[in-house]
């Protein structure tokens, strides 16, 4: 094939392509025109639909706006109506007030008119009374002159005589009135005092605690007794020397007796024995070590007991040394009565009684708790001082108030009472100690002491009868009036008290009362 043929073929192919392209373009242009026509028709239909939808939405919104407007208008009308109603009510109230004020003004005018008329009447009567007073004074002066002439006395002399007579009469009437009031006050005071004391006792109910001078230490078997006694008794001697307690080992099964008047030492010995028996190592060196540890433990327990006591009674600000003394009361007794229980009871009684009398109950509780701290002396030299005075000195030393110190020192009448708190402490102490069962006394020694008291009184001339009463706290002596005068009765009371003080041993104080009575008896037939 030659080159011309190839050129013809290529040219025909190119021409075919050009014609195909032109035909394709013409076809695409027809399709595009159809698509454009379809789009224009759809757009027109959409616009028509949009216009119809817009008209319907417009109509709906206009209807909603009209309905909202109607609602707002109705609410506004309601608000206006309520405001009009309130204004009408306010106007009505104002009109009522105006009418009320008008009525009050009318009443006030009438009252002023009546007051003016009364003032005029009063002025008229006052003038009339002044005139009458002047007339009476003139008549009185003329009568005085006539009386002076008749009695031959001047007015001053007659007045002085009348005043003197009235003075004597008034003095007699006043003395009678005062005596009646004093008797009435005494009767009322006794009744009120009994009522307060009975109410106080009824409101306080405490246990009666009686301590012994011996403690029983229980053991598991009698074999332990030999270990406690030790070789040739060295262990028991070491325990007695370290604690100051007498240990009695007898035939009592499974028990050892600890005897000592000091409850603290007895408790130290009991706890030490318990530790030694539990540990099993019992020899003199171990005994001394255990006793020292037990002493420290007891000291700490004493402080804890004191703290618990003051907290239970609601007492604050107590000095640590006084708290320690309060704790030591747990291991002291007075005639068998536990001293701490007695002091707690006295504190409660004092608080109730002070509240009934309108005094400070906290201060009364404080004084009641501390009133017997002198019974727990810290050294042998303190034993010689009376416990009330010693307790007062300790309270003063540790910054207690003067009322509390005086109440402590005066509860056995060893100093003068200067506050109302002192007799309350004394009474409550007597109530707690004199309650049946509170204290233990040996009956034989008690009866013998009463007999000895009476015998002391019979040893003086002129004594007719003698009675020991109030558990030996008072001795009443009846004397013969022919042999003993009033002056002699006073001196006899002092001599009997001195005799008792020097010759007898007794707890507390003994009051000696000498009674002298003179009787004149006649029989009408």
């Amino acid at each position: 094939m030659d080159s011309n043929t190839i050129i013809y073929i290529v040219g025909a192919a190119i021409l075919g392509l050009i014609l195909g392209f032109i035909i394709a373009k013409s076809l695409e242009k027809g399709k595009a025109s159809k698509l454009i026509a379809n789009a224009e028709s759809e757009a027109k239909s959409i616009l028509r639909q949009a216009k119809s939808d817009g008209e319907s939405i417009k109509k709906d919104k206009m209807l909603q706006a009209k309905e909202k407007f109607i609602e707002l208008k109705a609410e506004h009308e309601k608000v206006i109506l309520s405001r009009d109603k309130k204004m009408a009510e306010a106007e009505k109230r104002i009109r009522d007030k105006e009418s009320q004020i008008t009525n009050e003004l009318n009443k006030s005018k009438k009252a002023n008119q009546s007051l003016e008329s009364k003032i005029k009447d009063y002025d008229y009567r006052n003038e009339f009374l002044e005139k009458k007073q002047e007339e009476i004074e003139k008549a009185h002066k003329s009568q005085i002159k006539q009386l002076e002439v008749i009695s031959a006395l001047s007015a001053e002399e007659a007045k002085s005589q009348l005043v003197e007579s009235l003075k004597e009469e008034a003095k007699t009437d006043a003395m009678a009135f005062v005596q009646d009031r004093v008797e009435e006050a005494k009767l009322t005071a006794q009744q009120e005092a009994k009522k307060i004391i009975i109410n106080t006792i009824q409101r306080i109910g405490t246990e009666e605690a009686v301590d012994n001078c011996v403690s029983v230490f229980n053991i598991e078997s009698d074999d332990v007794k030999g270990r406690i006694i030790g070789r040739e008794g060295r262990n028991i001697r070491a325990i007695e020397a370290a604690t100051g307690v007498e240990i009695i080992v007898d035939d009592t099964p499974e028990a050892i007796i600890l005897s000592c008047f000091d409850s603290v030492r007895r408790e130290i010995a009991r706890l030490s024995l318990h530790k030694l028996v539990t540990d099993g190592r019992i020899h003199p060196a171990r005994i001394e070590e255990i006793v020292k540890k037990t002493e420290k433990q007891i000291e700490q327990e004493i402080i804890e007991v004191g703290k618990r006591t003051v907290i239970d009674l609601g007492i604050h600000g107590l000095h640590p040394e006084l708290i320690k003394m309060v704790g030591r009361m747990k291991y002291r007794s007075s005639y068998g009565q536990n001293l701490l229980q007695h002091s707690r009871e006295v504190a409660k009684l004092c608080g109730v009684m002070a509240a009934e009398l309108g005094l400070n109950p906290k201060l009364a509780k404080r004084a009641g708790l501390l009133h017997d701290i002198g019974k727990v002396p810290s050294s042998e030299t303190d034993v010689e001082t009376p416990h009330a005075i010693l307790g007062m000195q300790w309270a003063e030393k540790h910054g207690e108030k003067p009322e509390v110190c005086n109440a402590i020192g005066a509860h056995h009448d060893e100093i003068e009472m200067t506050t109302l708190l002192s007799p309350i402490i004394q009474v409550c102490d007597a109530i707690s100690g004199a309650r049946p069962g509170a204290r233990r006394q040996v009956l034989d020694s008690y009866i013998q002491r009463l007999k000895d008291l009476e015998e002391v009184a019979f040893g003086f001339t002129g004594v007719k009868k003698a009675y020991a009463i109030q558990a030996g706290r008072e001795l009443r002596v009846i004397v013969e009036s022919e042999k003993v005068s009033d002056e002699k009765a006073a001196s006899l009371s002092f001599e009997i008290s001195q005799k008792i003080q020097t010759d007898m041993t007794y707890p507390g104080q003994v009051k000696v009362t000498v009674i002298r009575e003179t009787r004149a008896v006649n029989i009408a037939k």
Side-chain angles (χ1 to χ4, degrees):
M1 187 180 290
D2 56 1
S3 60
N4 290 329
T5 303
I6 293 168
I7 292 168
Y8 288 141
I9 292 168
V10 171
I14 292 168
L15 182 62
L17 288 172
I18 292 169
L19 289 174
F21 179 76
I22 293 169
I23 291 166
K25 283 293 181 181
S26 63
L27 290 173
E28 285 180 3
K29 187 176 182 183
K31 288 180 182 179
S33 61
K34 287 180 182 179
L35 288 173
I36 290 168
N38 292 332
E40 287 178 354
S41 63
E42 286 179 5
K44 288 177 182 179
S45 64
I46 290 170
L47 286 173
R48 285 195 299 270
Q49 185 66 32
K51 285 181 181 179
S52 63
D53 291 342
E55 291 295 330
S56 62
I57 291 170
K58 182 178 180 182
K59 289 178 181 180
D60 291 339
K61 292 297 181 181
M62 289 179 69
L63 289 172
Q64 290 178 3
K66 287 180 181 180
E67 290 176 357
K68 188 68 174 177
F69 175 74
I70 292 168
E71 290 178 2
L72 292 173
K73 185 178 179 182
E75 291 179 359
H76 182 65
E77 288 176 352
K78 288 180 182 178
V79 171
I80 291 171
L81 287 173
S82 64
R83 287 182 180 176
D84 292 341
K85 187 178 179 181
K86 289 181 180 179
M87 289 177 67
E89 291 176 355
E91 289 176 355
K92 185 180 178 182
R93 287 197 298 270
I94 291 169
R95 286 196 298 269
D96 293 339
K97 289 287 184 182
E98 287 177 353
S99 62
Q100 186 178 358
I101 291 169
T102 305
N103 294 331
E104 293 292 336
L105 288 173
N106 292 330
K107 290 180 182 179
S108 177
K109 287 179 181 178
K110 291 179 181 179
N112 288 331
Q113 291 174 359
S114 63
L115 181 61
E116 289 176 358
S117 63
K118 287 180 180 179
I119 290 172
K120 289 179 181 178
D121 185 34
Y122 172 76
D123 292 337
Y124 172 75
R125 290 186 179 185
N126 194 17
E127 291 177 0
F128 179 75
L129 288 174
E130 287 178 356
K131 290 179 182 179
K132 287 292 183 183
Q133 185 69 26
E134 290 177 359
E135 293 176 0
I136 290 170
E137 287 180 357
K138 290 179 182 178
H140 181 65
K141 288 180 181 179
S142 64
Q143 287 178 357
I144 288 173
K145 289 180 180 178
Q146 290 177 4
L147 288 173
E148 287 179 353
V149 172
I150 293 169
S151 63
L153 290 174
S154 64
E156 293 297 329
E157 292 174 350
K159 189 187 293 183
S160 62
Q161 290 181 5
L162 179 62
V163 168
E164 289 297 327
S165 63
L166 289 174
K167 277 184 181 179
E168 293 298 326
E169 185 178 355
K171 188 183 293 184
T172 304
D173 293 343
M175 290 177 66
F177 177 78
V178 169
Q179 187 67 25
D180 292 340
R181 295 287 82 77
V182 168
E183 293 297 330
E184 182 181 356
K186 286 181 180 179
L187 180 61
T188 307
Q190 290 178 356
Q191 291 175 350
E192 290 297 324
K194 289 178 181 178
K195 180 180 177 182
I196 290 172
I197 291 173
I198 290 170
N199 289 336
T200 303
I201 294 174
Q202 287 177 343
R203 290 172 62 181
I204 301 296
T206 58
E207 298 179 355
E208 301 298 343
V210 178
D211 290 341
N212 298 316
C213 289
V214 296
S215 296
V216 178
F217 178 71
N218 297 313
I219 55 179
E220 295 179 356
S221 63
D222 290 338
D223 296 337
V224 182
K225 289 183 179 180
R227 295 170 58 194
I228 293 174
I229 294 170
R231 183 180 300 175
E232 297 179 357
R234 64 176 186 175
N235 289 344
I236 198 169
R237 285 197 301 272
I239 295 172
E240 289 179 346
T243 60
V245 176
E246 183 181 358
I247 300 177
I248 302 171
V249 182
D250 53 12
D251 296 335
T252 306
E254 298 180 356
I256 294 175
I257 307 300
L258 308 177
S259 176
C260 181
F261 71 93
D262 192 333
S263 302
V264 177
R265 288 189 289 179
R266 198 165 66 244
E267 183 68 11
I268 291 172
R270 188 187 69 81
L271 291 176
S272 299
L273 274 175
H274 177 72
K275 291 178 180 179
L276 288 168
V277 171
T278 304
D279 183 54
R281 294 176 293 171
I282 306 175
H283 52 82
R286 180 66 177 169
I287 289 169
E288 291 180 1
E289 180 185 354
I290 292 296
V291 168
K292 288 180 181 179
K293 289 182 179 180
T294 308
E295 286 176 352
K296 293 180 180 179
Q297 179 183 346
I298 290 293
E299 286 294 325
Q300 189 63 32
E301 183 180 350
I302 285 171
I303 295 172
E304 292 298 326
V305 168
K307 288 181 179 179
R308 286 199 301 269
T309 302
V310 297
I311 290 171
D312 291 343
L313 294 175
I315 298 172
H316 305 285
L318 204 63
H319 195 276
E321 284 298 324
L322 294 179
I323 292 176
K324 188 176 180 181
M325 291 175 188
V326 170
R328 289 172 62 189
M329 289 183 185
K330 179 182 177 182
Y331 301 101
R332 293 289 186 273
S333 61
S334 177
Y335 297 97
Q337 185 182 24
N338 184 269
L339 194 58
L340 181 60
Q341 295 295 330
H342 166 66
S343 297
R344 287 172 65 98
E345 184 178 6
V346 171
K348 293 178 181 178
L349 288 168
C350 292
V352 174
M353 194 173 291
E356 291 287 337
L357 294 172
L359 301 176
N360 188 347
K362 292 185 178 180
L363 206 62
K365 280 186 180 181
R366 198 182 192 94
L369 179 64
L370 299 177
H371 80 284
D372 269 348
I373 57 172
K375 288 185 178 180
V376 285
S378 57
S379 63
E380 294 296 331
T381 56
D382 294 334
V383 178
E384 299 177 358
T385 308
H387 75 273
I389 303 298
L390 185 60
M392 181 186 68
Q393 292 173 354
W394 284 347
E396 289 175 348
K397 178 181 178 182
H398 297 299
E400 289 297 316
K401 293 184 178 180
E403 298 92 334
V404 176
C405 297
N406 181 258
I408 295 171
H411 77 278
H412 284 312
D413 291 325
E414 286 168 336
I415 62 171
E416 184 181 357
M417 296 182 182
T418 59
T419 63
L420 290 175
L421 202 61
S422 301
I424 293 176
I425 305 301
Q426 189 180 53
V427 169
C428 294
D429 180 42
I431 290 172
S432 176
R435 183 176 293 178
R439 295 186 175 183
R440 182 187 67 245
Q441 291 183 342
V442 181
L443 182 62
D444 294 339
S445 62
Y446 169 72
I447 294 173
Q448 186 61 41
R449 183 163 60 85
L450 298 185
K451 288 182 179 179
D452 292 342
L453 273 175
E454 295 175 355
E455 289 297 329
V456 169
F458 283 120
F460 291 85
T461 58
V463 176
K464 185 178 180 181
K465 295 178 181 179
Y467 301 102
I469 61 175
Q470 293 187 4
R473 294 183 179 180
E474 182 176 355
L475 179 64
R476 290 191 179 178
V477 181
I478 300 174
V479 297
E480 299 177 5
S481 59
E482 297 83 3
K483 295 182 180 180
V484 180
S485 62
D486 289 339
E487 292 80 8
K488 180 64 177 175
S491 63
L492 183 63
S493 174
F494 176 74
E495 290 172 2
I496 292 174
S497 66
Q498 293 298 311
K499 181 74 172 175
I500 293 171
Q501 187 172 341
T502 54
D503 294 354
M504 292 187 64
T505 302
Y506 51 90
Q509 296 177 337
V510 179
K511 180 182 178 182
V512 180
T513 304
V514 175
I515 301 172
R516 180 180 179 270
E517 184 181 18
T518 304
R519 295 186 182 182
V521 181
N522 290 297
I523 301 173
K525 297 181 180 179

